[in-house]
Amino acid sequence: MSGLRAFLDPRSIAVIGASDNPHKIGGRPIHYLGKFGFKGAVYPINPSRPEIQGRRSYGSLADLPEAPDLAIVAVAGDTAVSTVEDCAARGVKAVVVMASGFGEVDPVAGKAKEQRMTAAARQAGMRIVGPNTQGLANFGSGTIVSFSTLFTEFDRAGGHVAMLSQSGALSTAPVSFLLRKGIGVRHCHATGNDCDVSVGELACAVAEDPEVKLLLLYLESIPDARHLEQLAAIARERDLPIIALKSGRSVAGQRAAQSHTGALANEDRVVDAFLAHHGIWRAPDIRGLVEASELYLKGWQPTGRRLVAVSNSGAVCVLTADAASEVGMPMAELAPHIDQQLKAILPSFATAANPIDLTAAMLSNDRLFGEILPVLAADPGADAFVIGLPVLGQGYDIAGIAEDSAALARQTGKPVLMASTQPAIARQFAERGIAVFPTEVEAVTALHQFVAHRELMAKAAARRTSSRGEAPRQPAAQAMVMLNEADSLALLAQHGLAVVPHRLCRSPSEVAAAVAAIGTPVVVKGCSADIAHKSELGLVRLNVGDEAAACQAFAAMEAIIRAQGARFDGVIVAAMAQGRRELMIGAHRDPVFGPVVVVGDGGKYVEVLRDTALLLPPFGSDEVNEALHSLRIAPLFAGVRGEPAMDTEALARAVVAIGRLMIAQADVMSVDLNPVLINDAGAGVVVVDAVVFRAAEQVRAD
Amino acid sequence: MSGLRAFLDPRSIAVIGASDNPHKIGGRPIHYLGKFGFKGAVYPINPSRPEIQGRRSYGSLADLPEAPDLAIVAVAGDTAVSTVEDCAARGVKAVVVMASGFGEVDPVAGKAKEQRMTAAARQAGMRIVGPNTQGLANFGSGTIVSFSTLFTEFDRAGGHVAMLSQSGALSTAPVSFLLRKGIGVRHCHATGNDCDVSVGELACAVAEDPEVKLLLLYLESIPDARHLEQLAAIARERDLPIIALKSGRSVAGQRAAQSHTGALANEDRVVDAFLAHHGIWRAPDIRGLVEASELYLKGWQPTGRRLVAVSNSGAVCVLTADAASEVGMPMAELAPHIDQQLKAILPSFATAANPIDLTAAMLSNDRLFGEILPVLAADPGADAFVIGLPVLGQGYDIAGIAEDSAALARQTGKPVLMASTQPAIARQFAERGIAVFPTEVEAVTALHQFVAHRELMAKAAARRTSSRGEAPRQPAAQAMVMLNEADSLALLAQHGLAVVPHRLCRSPSEVAAAVAAIGTPVVVKGCSADIAHKSELGLVRLNVGDEAAACQAFAAMEAIIRAQGARFDGVIVAAMAQGRRELMIGAHRDPVFGPVVVVGDGGKYVEVLRDTALLLPPFGSDEVNEALHSLRIAPLFAGVRGEPAMDTEALARAVVAIGRLMIAQADVMSVDLNPVLINDAGAGVVVVDAVVFRAAEQVRAD
């Protein structure tokens, strides 16, 4: 385990501000350390009492027989700061500062106090979790240094799930659901203001606990992605699934986050792309964070998405098929010999097609379920099973059906889920190890998450070059300069992109030569590193038919540019490029996540109609193709109404090239190619217009 | 109550095939009639026993002292058919046929048996529910003529919710959820094969029960919309909300439905439009069907969508804002005087902005909640309140907080919802009449459904002309003929649509005259009632510059059309119409739902990129504008990047005109206008191309 071991598995713990009352902040951890079996030494510190909750109390840190590995600071405000300084001086390895009233209430004075604490800690090699933290809970070692009330409700929590969050409520609310569902939790940590140890860094330490089989995160803001990248690398190594609930998806949510923690707003689509890139599943809400947990703990290695559904209700069959369709899981097509075997068993009025409707026949044949399931188990096309028994009662051999379902799970090693509206029925299945859900929709949704997440993890693992640790971020206040269009096109050509045939002309004679070389009609565009929007100023003329018109355009554009007080870099004479559709490729550097590449439908309305997909470099053609498939215009690529397919291979190569450019050239801040014209398969793509921004210093250095 | 009263409130009930065993199909209804307090006479019929479940048993229908209002037919197969005939002869008013093995297993022989039953019933004026039905349950009158096992679990069910379905499982599964949530159910009916009384017809009778405050439906197929239209009219009159779960959304779901009941597949987008038109909320799944039920029963009349959220967790504030944003509910902006009052109460480290983060300050001030809520109650901008208390425990005055929340609800009369992961905490709020949910997302989702549904109901109620009872359906196998383009355009012009200036020319001299009248350049199109796709055959020439070229096109097109063996109706010479964007307007007659109008983005790829919205005529401009707003291209209408707005008013008028045409002209089967060019606001829209199909006979009659 890393240097954060003292937080997770300390040999000794001091509680500064200890209380005899187990319901006070300084009392509850002492109670929990006893309740959950912490094996090390516990030192309550409270000068006014000789004994705290039956343990010997000490007057001060100095009185302790040893420097404790971990100290809880449960004293308030300014005292907390000096206490942290005392801890650093005493040789404490780690402190958990529960006191609030720091950066979260006052971004100036409060932050300054946090900095005093971190300065003292850093000097002494001590680490801080907090301030303003509800605390940490490792049920593996019994290290419950938390004042959450939740753990009063449960006697044991040990299991394989870890939950981490800055927020106290959002560390315990998901755990509250999990414990109520009977799913054991090993870690439940709230890190508070993250003045030193961040939730991401702590998660790295937790991910190294071999007993952790599923790691859950709540994130309100990602001010620095590096620890999450490191976490993802550790998780990939261990095949450990991570699910993150990142809030602040909406403007209203970001505003709320900012007002209560001063959180930096991340660009939400980039967060999506970042998490996906690293194989981390993004949950939409608390339920999504915990709902599928059980499936991750079964040891299943999903083989695909093809679903077999069995129910005693035809309506549930229909609803299951609808739900599966909604999430992109096809109903398995049963093998002919399986179908025949089913038809031999099922009475005439049951449906042998998948989903399999057993009708009320189950009521008259107790063994029907037990006969059907082994047949289905043998089907090679089945990847997972959902058993829907919405309402059962007297007349059904429920224990027998549950036993048959458990046998199916054992026999196949494949996911078997069950849906029942009746908790008493569901319990009989749960007791036999079946994952139970109230309805088939919830079962299918959870199953889809599990399978799709496993697919995402496999992709992230296959992506050998996925580390973005070195991919340059954009400094927050980076000064930038725009290249003129000729320089932009030259840079792109240098990186292997096909750009429209063109010449930069600085005189009418150069224009004449260019027209002769390129052939009419041509496009004439004014070129200036000071002007981004050419069309609006009359600096783009299409379909220029001859040399004279081109020279006239040169003169007119020079006048316009000079009238703007802008540099006149010449005019570009370019071929009239043809294409089937206008697409766009863009790239920029996110201050947190580094380079981001965008590809999508192009043209004038790209920002309004936004049909684009994001990719984080480095990535390959396969990932671009997947991104292209996610676009609304995707069906057009294959060609519709008799049209030939478009050259998505060339498009993918161009997008990959932009990804490489963003990695290779740290000084390129943004790239905006619109339109990129795509042609028939084999005929390539061509960049027609380009705007590149570079870091100001770099350009000067050129 | 309607003629179906005997099913819902009979004075006497015979059970044919009565069993002494309360767990058998013929025994359970007798048990339930006693358990749920049916006041009328119950006549078990079983020739082999003198007594059934403590009641006198009769040998046959003939032995009864009277003709019973209602008879349950719990005997099997062919006996069931003859029993129904006996009932009809004996003067029974209504029968519930539980036996299965009819149309659901054999569409020929099974259906024939059903027809025998209905024929006998019709002759005698008797009505049938079933066969293959789990039965009916009206807890208001104690008429539980159902063999569902569910009601063994509950002692009382009386309440204000009605649930109807053909499927037994999908009648009881939602009720299972409701009863477990403590929400009383008054009706729970499964109608089975609907050989006579359909679920829609029974729903009309149930909707007339004044104690029903919320009506839920599960529909697998809508073979006939008329009863649903009638139901919607009754509900509108009574302001009764209806929520429908219509399955078979997906191809896989429709296939499953077809295989288990032979259900007809409805076009899903038309189902959406139909239900919305009638103010019926469409639930996505079982949870969506029941999840918001409680909110409908509180008597709230929502005033808007602006939400106020209060939590002791900043993270829950962020998640609530995200959830509200997702469903289109803005966070209320607090009035300045409210804001000031809050700031006076709230300690510095809590956030007075909405969502309101009380932080752990609640822990040190028991009365904080009680002080804050009355201030918020006075805010005029608050339409609803969500209180998020994810995890509470010792140290909080939970009863006090619950009481304060209940006072807020009483004081404002506005929706107050609460979210807690802890059932024991939630219970204290529920006991005080607060609607409780596990998380803020579920609370906000339910609240949105309730508010949006009320909005939908208000719109349906305002639409005085909404009855579609007379709107002509398309007969299933209607033969159709295509009009040629000139006739299509003429029909549209006659109905008030602006069509492109054009002339149908039958000779070169007419072409010359048309070119002179219209002015160059023109479009020349071949015209034939036999040819729908002109472009592919070279029958469209754009930008024709002079008379000679137009005459040459006439000759060429005549040759092409004749070579196809098609009628040559002439060529159309039309102006080169200009427009900002190509849109489309279409209409057809759905065999179940009647006329449907489609409006959306136009052009070549309309079917692939499908950015369209559906409307059911009659409708007005407001509804068209709302439909236009739902389009992906909607932002373009207002004008982007400095462009002027487009003429959506003229577009709306054109769409309304098409709706009127479809109502007025029963012989018009379909209309396809693509492109319809839209211009700047004030400059109108113009129909450039049109294909109209008419019923074959009508056209002959012209």
Side-chain angles (χ1 to χ4, degrees):
Chain A
M1 219 178 267
S2 71
L4 300 183
R5 189 189 182 101
F7 286 108
L8 300 174
D9 193 13
R11 281 161 309 168
S12 51
I13 302 174
V15 182
I16 304 167
S19 168
D20 197 47
N21 182 343
H23 299 308
K24 296 234 156 151
I25 289 181
R28 204 168 278 142
I30 297 172
H31 171 68
Y32 285 154
L33 287 167
K35 178 176 174 180
F36 291 99
F38 176 66
K39 299 272 190 318
V42 177
Y43 303 117
I45 296 184
N46 182 333
S48 62
R49 287 180 159 269
E51 208 175 73
I52 298 271
Q53 297 185 40
R55 296 177 192 265
R56 180 185 161 186
S57 170
Y58 296 83
S60 74
L61 268 175
D63 298 335
L64 299 188
E66 61 175 332
D69 278 357
L70 176 65
I72 299 172
V73 178
V75 293
D78 288 337
T79 318
V81 179
S82 59
T83 303
V84 168
E85 289 168 335
D86 292 349
C87 287
R90 181 68 171 92
V92 174
K93 292 198 182 71
V95 291
V96 172
V97 183
M98 291 175 173
S100 57
F102 293 86
E104 82 280 10
V105 296
D106 186 335
V108 180
K111 270 269 178 257
K113 287 188 215 167
E114 290 184 14
Q115 278 154 5
R116 251 181 73 198
M117 293 193 285
T118 42
R122 227 152 256 168
Q123 213 169 7
M126 184 177 81
R127 301 302 306 270
I128 306 176
V129 162
N132 188 32
T133 170
Q134 198 174 65
L136 313 179
N138 175 0
F139 294 95
S141 63
T143 309
I144 317 302
V145 291
S146 163
F147 66 89
S148 167
T149 57
L150 183 69
F151 310 127
T152 59
E153 291 180 36
F154 299 92
D155 287 336
R156 359 172 272 109
H160 301 284
V161 182
M163 172 74 222
L164 292 98
S165 160
Q166 286 188 257
S167 154
L170 260 289
S171 68
T172 50
V175 166
S176 172
F177 280 119
L178 289 172
L179 294 178
R180 261 170 258 282
K181 279 191 87 173
I183 298 169
V185 171
R186 188 171 173 89
H187 293 268
C188 176
H189 304 306
T191 60
N193 289 5
D194 287 13
C195 80
D196 174 23
V197 177
S198 70
V199 68
E201 188 181 1
L202 188 64
C204 290
V206 170
E208 283 174 348
D209 177 346
E211 287 300 312
V212 171
K213 304 275 165 66
L214 173 65
L215 194 146
L216 310 180
L217 290 174
Y218 171 75
L219 304 166
E220 210 146 280
S221 160
I222 305 177
D224 186 332
R226 278 162 237 251
H227 280 305
L228 288 182
E229 287 170 353
Q230 193 189 333
L231 171 64
I234 295 167
R236 195 161 51 240
E237 204 57 47
R238 281 198 47 207
D239 196 31
L240 170 69
I242 302 175
I243 306 173
L245 168 54
K246 162 71 177 69
S247 67
R249 270 189 181 278
S250 63
V251 173
Q254 289 182 352
R255 201 176 294 142
Q258 189 136 40
S259 91
H260 95 90
T261 56
L264 168 142
N266 298 108
E267 196 189 329
D268 202 61
R269 298 182 75 204
V270 181
V271 173
D272 272 344
F274 172 80
L275 294 175
H277 183 89
H278 287 290
I280 298 172
W281 186 261
R282 186 169 185 182
D285 51 39
I286 302 185
R287 288 309 275 260
L289 187 62
V290 297
E291 199 78 345
S293 292
E294 196 180 346
L295 309 189
Y296 290 86
L297 304 174
K298 299 281 188 196
W300 292 326
Q301 292 297 334
T303 49
R305 294 181 163 220
R306 294 160 304 172
L307 197 65
V308 171
V310 186
S311 178
N312 62 333
S313 156
V316 166
C317 286
V318 180
L319 289 167
T320 307
D322 274 350
S325 226
E326 177 84 20
V327 295
M329 300 188 76
M331 300 308 298
E333 195 158 320
L334 301 178
H337 69 283
I338 301 291
D339 195 54
Q340 273 171 9
Q341 287 177 54
L342 285 181
K343 284 195 174 117
I345 299 166
L346 285 164
S348 64
F349 52 94
T351 301
N354 179 26
I356 298 149
D357 176 11
L358 301 178
T359 73
M362 258 175 74
L363 203 50
S364 52
N365 177 0
D366 259 6
R367 295 304 312 143
L368 186 59
F369 223 74
E371 288 169 24
I372 290 290
L373 294 191
V375 174
L376 292 174
D379 195 293
D383 295 315
F385 302 86
V386 171
I387 296 167
L389 302 168
V391 176
L392 293 183
Q394 238 139 350
Y396 291 98
D397 173 15
I398 292 158
I401 295 169
E403 196 40 66
D404 293 336
S405 305
L408 173 68
R410 283 193 300 272
Q411 195 182 342
T412 60
K414 293 173 183 171
V416 176
L417 289 73
M418 187 269 183
S420 166
T421 66
Q422 297 163 296
I425 306 276
R427 202 172 305 125
Q428 300 206 40
F429 286 77
E431 282 165 7
R432 290 171 175 86
I434 306 288
V436 298
F437 294 85
T439 73
E440 60 292 334
V441 170
E442 284 141 320
V444 169
T445 305
L447 181 62
H448 167 257
Q449 173 183 328
F450 171 64
V451 174
H453 188 181
R454 278 280 167 197
E455 289 168 1
L456 195 70
M457 288 171 68
K459 267 183 234 158
R463 198 185 296 127
R464 280 271 154 260
T465 54
S466 70
S467 166
R468 287 165 54 79
E470 300 311 310
R473 269 76 174 162
Q474 174 181 6
Q478 175 71 60
M480 295 193 292
V481 293
M482 190 179 81
L483 302 193
N484 73 29
E485 188 175 349
D487 290 344
S488 293
L489 290 172
L491 177 75
L492 295 166
Q494 184 190 324
H495 282 271
L497 282 101
V499 303
V500 65
H502 70 282
R503 285 197 191 178
L504 178 64
C505 307
R506 291 166 204 274
S507 66
S509 64
E510 284 183 16
V511 170
V515 171
I518 290 166
T520 54
V522 294
V523 180
V524 181
K525 297 192 272 188
C527 187
S528 167
D530 296 330
I531 296 176
H533 295 290
K534 296 184 288 285
S535 306
E536 284 84 340
L537 292 173
L539 293 175
V540 178
R541 291 206 198 161
L542 304 175
N543 255 319
V544 177
D546 55 32
E547 187 192 305
C551 289
Q552 190 273 325
F554 177 93
M557 289 180 184
E558 178 170 8
I560 292 169
I561 291 173
R562 296 206 189 277
Q564 294 286 316
R567 271 174 289 182
F568 176 63
D569 298 332
V571 303
I572 289 173
V573 174
M576 283 286 291
Q578 299 298 318
R580 291 267 301 280
R581 192 168 184 99
E582 295 189 341
L583 302 177
M584 67 80 65
I585 306 174
H588 69 280
R589 284 182 202 284
D590 185 276
V592 172
F593 301 104
V596 178
V597 174
V598 187
V599 59
D601 201 16
K604 194 170 170 185
Y605 300 124
V606 65
E607 267 117 49
V608 187
L609 299 182
R610 186 111 66 125
D611 183 21
T612 55
L614 268 61
L615 289 156
L616 299 202
F619 51 78
S621 287
D622 286 356
E623 285 156 287
V624 179
N625 280 320
E626 204 175 312
L628 294 176
H629 263 96
S630 75
L631 298 178
R632 215 173 143 272
I633 57 162
L636 302 187
F637 292 133
V640 290
R641 297 175 55 135
E643 297 166 344
M646 298 187 199
D647 201 341
T648 49
E649 279 186 36
L651 178 61
R653 281 194 302 271
V655 179
V656 168
I658 292 294
R660 291 204 182 118
L661 183 161
M662 293 301 286
I663 296 275
Q665 267 196 256
D667 61 320
V668 174
M669 292 292 112
S670 77
V671 174
D672 186 6
L673 316 182
N674 182 13
V676 176
L677 296 176
I678 187 166
N679 292 290
D680 292 352
V685 296
V686 57
V687 177
V688 171
D689 201 352
V691 180
V692 173
F693 277 85
R694 269 189 158 166
E697 302 74 34
Q698 295 283 348
V699 170
R700 260 185 244 119
D702 275 354
Chain B
M1 218 178 266
S2 71
L4 301 183
R5 189 188 180 101
F7 286 108
L8 300 174
D9 192 14
R11 281 161 309 167
S12 50
I13 302 174
V15 182
I16 304 166
S19 169
D20 196 48
N21 183 343
H23 298 308
K24 296 233 155 154
I25 289 181
R28 204 168 278 142
I30 297 172
H31 170 68
Y32 285 153
L33 287 167
K35 176 177 175 180
F36 291 99
F38 176 68
K39 298 271 189 317
V42 178
Y43 304 117
I45 297 184
N46 183 333
S48 62
R49 286 178 159 270
E51 207 174 73
I52 298 271
Q53 298 184 38
R55 296 178 192 265
R56 180 184 162 188
S57 171
Y58 296 83
S60 73
L61 269 176
D63 299 335
L64 299 189
E66 60 176 332
D69 279 356
L70 176 65
I72 299 172
V73 177
V75 293
D78 288 336
T79 316
V81 179
S82 59
T83 303
V84 168
E85 288 168 334
D86 292 348
C87 288
R90 181 69 173 89
V92 174
K93 292 199 184 71
V95 292
V96 172
V97 183
M98 292 175 172
S100 58
F102 293 86
E104 82 280 11
V105 296
D106 186 335
V108 180
K111 271 270 179 253
K113 286 188 215 166
E114 290 184 15
Q115 279 153 4
R116 253 182 71 198
M117 293 193 284
T118 42
R122 228 153 256 168
Q123 212 168 6
M126 184 178 81
R127 301 302 305 270
I128 306 175
V129 162
N132 187 32
T133 170
Q134 199 174 65
L136 313 179
N138 175 359
F139 294 95
S141 62
T143 310
I144 318 302
V145 290
S146 163
F147 65 88
S148 167
T149 57
L150 182 68
F151 310 128
T152 59
E153 290 180 36
F154 299 93
D155 285 337
R156 1 171 271 109
H160 302 284
V161 182
M163 172 74 224
L164 293 97
S165 160
Q166 285 188 256
S167 154
L170 259 289
S171 68
T172 50
V175 167
S176 172
F177 279 119
L178 289 172
L179 294 178
R180 261 170 257 281
K181 278 191 88 171
I183 298 169
V185 171
R186 187 170 174 88
H187 293 268
C188 176
H189 304 305
T191 60
N193 288 5
D194 287 13
C195 80
D196 173 24
V197 177
S198 71
V199 68
E201 188 181 1
L202 188 65
C204 290
V206 169
E208 284 174 348
D209 177 346
E211 287 301 311
V212 170
K213 304 277 166 64
L214 173 65
L215 194 146
L216 310 180
L217 290 174
Y218 172 76
L219 303 166
E220 210 147 279
S221 161
I222 306 178
D224 186 332
R226 278 162 238 250
H227 280 305
L228 289 181
E229 286 169 355
Q230 193 190 332
L231 171 65
I234 296 167
R236 196 162 51 240
E237 204 60 46
R238 281 198 48 207
D239 196 30
L240 170 69
I242 302 175
I243 306 173
L245 168 55
K246 163 71 177 70
S247 67
R249 271 191 181 275
S250 63
V251 172
Q254 290 183 351
R255 202 176 295 144
Q258 188 136 39
S259 90
H260 94 90
T261 56
L264 169 141
N266 298 107
E267 197 190 327
D268 202 62
R269 296 183 75 202
V270 181
V271 172
D272 272 343
F274 173 80
L275 294 175
H277 183 88
H278 288 290
I280 298 172
W281 186 262
R282 186 169 184 181
D285 49 40
I286 301 186
R287 287 309 275 261
L289 186 63
V290 297
E291 199 77 346
S293 292
E294 196 180 348
L295 308 189
Y296 290 87
L297 304 175
K298 298 282 187 196
W300 292 326
Q301 292 297 335
T303 50
R305 293 182 163 218
R306 294 160 305 173
L307 197 64
V308 171
V310 187
S311 178
N312 62 334
S313 156
V316 166
C317 286
V318 180
L319 289 167
T320 307
D322 274 351
S325 227
E326 177 84 20
V327 295
M329 300 188 75
M331 299 309 297
E333 196 158 320
L334 300 178
H337 69 283
I338 301 291
D339 195 53
Q340 272 171 10
Q341 289 177 54
L342 285 181
K343 284 196 174 117
I345 300 166
L346 284 164
S348 65
F349 51 96
T351 301
N354 178 26
I356 298 149
D357 176 12
L358 302 177
T359 74
M362 259 176 74
L363 204 49
S364 52
N365 177 1
D366 259 5
R367 296 303 313 142
L368 187 58
F369 222 74
E371 289 169 24
I372 291 290
L373 294 191
V375 174
L376 292 174
D379 195 293
D383 295 314
F385 302 86
V386 171
I387 296 167
L389 301 168
V391 176
L392 293 182
Q394 237 139 352
Y396 291 98
D397 172 16
I398 292 158
I401 295 169
E403 196 41 64
D404 293 337
S405 305
L408 173 68
R410 282 193 302 270
Q411 195 181 341
T412 59
K414 293 173 183 171
V416 176
L417 289 73
M418 187 269 184
S420 166
T421 66
Q422 297 164 295
I425 307 276
R427 203 172 304 124
Q428 299 207 41
F429 286 76
E431 282 165 6
R432 290 169 175 88
I434 306 288
V436 299
F437 294 85
T439 74
E440 60 293 333
V441 171
E442 283 141 321
V444 169
T445 304
L447 182 60
H448 167 258
Q449 173 184 327
F450 171 63
V451 174
H453 187 182
R454 278 281 167 199
E455 291 168 359
L456 195 70
M457 288 172 68
K459 267 183 235 158
R463 198 184 296 127
R464 281 270 155 263
T465 55
S466 71
S467 165
R468 288 165 53 78
E470 301 310 310
R473 269 74 176 164
Q474 175 181 5
Q478 175 72 60
M480 296 192 293
V481 294
M482 190 179 82
L483 303 193
N484 74 29
E485 188 175 351
D487 290 344
S488 293
L489 290 172
L491 177 75
L492 295 165
Q494 183 191 325
H495 282 270
L497 282 102
V499 303
V500 65
H502 69 282
R503 286 195 190 179
L504 179 64
C505 308
R506 290 166 206 273
S507 66
S509 64
E510 285 182 15
V511 169
V515 170
I518 290 166
T520 54
V522 294
V523 180
V524 182
K525 297 192 272 188
C527 187
S528 167
D530 296 330
I531 297 176
H533 295 290
K534 296 184 287 287
S535 306
E536 285 82 342
L537 291 172
L539 293 176
V540 179
R541 291 209 196 158
L542 304 175
N543 256 320
V544 177
D546 56 34
E547 186 192 303
C551 290
Q552 189 272 322
F554 177 93
M557 289 179 184
E558 179 170 6
I560 292 170
I561 290 173
R562 297 204 189 278
Q564 293 285 317
R567 270 175 291 180
F568 176 63
D569 298 330
V571 303
I572 289 173
V573 174
M576 281 286 291
Q578 299 297 318
R580 291 266 302 280
R581 193 169 182 98
E582 295 188 341
L583 302 177
M584 67 80 64
I585 305 174
H588 70 278
R589 284 182 201 283
D590 184 276
V592 173
F593 301 104
V596 178
V597 173
V598 187
V599 59
D601 202 16
K604 194 171 170 185
Y605 299 124
V606 65
E607 268 117 50
V608 187
L609 300 182
R610 185 110 67 125
D611 183 21
T612 55
L614 268 61
L615 289 156
L616 299 202
F619 51 78
S621 287
D622 286 356
E623 285 156 284
V624 179
N625 280 320
E626 203 176 311
L628 294 176
H629 263 96
S630 75
L631 297 178
R632 213 173 145 272
I633 58 162
L636 303 187
F637 292 133
V640 292
R641 298 176 55 138
E643 296 166 342
M646 298 187 200
D647 202 341
T648 48
E649 280 185 35
L651 177 61
R653 281 194 301 273
V655 179
V656 169
I658 292 294
R660 292 203 181 119
L661 184 160
M662 294 301 286
I663 296 275
Q665 265 196 257
D667 61 320
V668 173
M669 292 293 112
S670 76
V671 174
D672 186 8
L673 315 183
N674 183 11
V676 176
L677 296 176
I678 186 165
N679 292 290
D680 293 350
V685 297
V686 56
V687 177
V688 172
D689 201 352
V691 180
V692 172
F693 277 86
R694 270 187 156 167
E697 302 76 32
Q698 295 282 349
V699 171
R700 258 185 245 119
D702 276 354

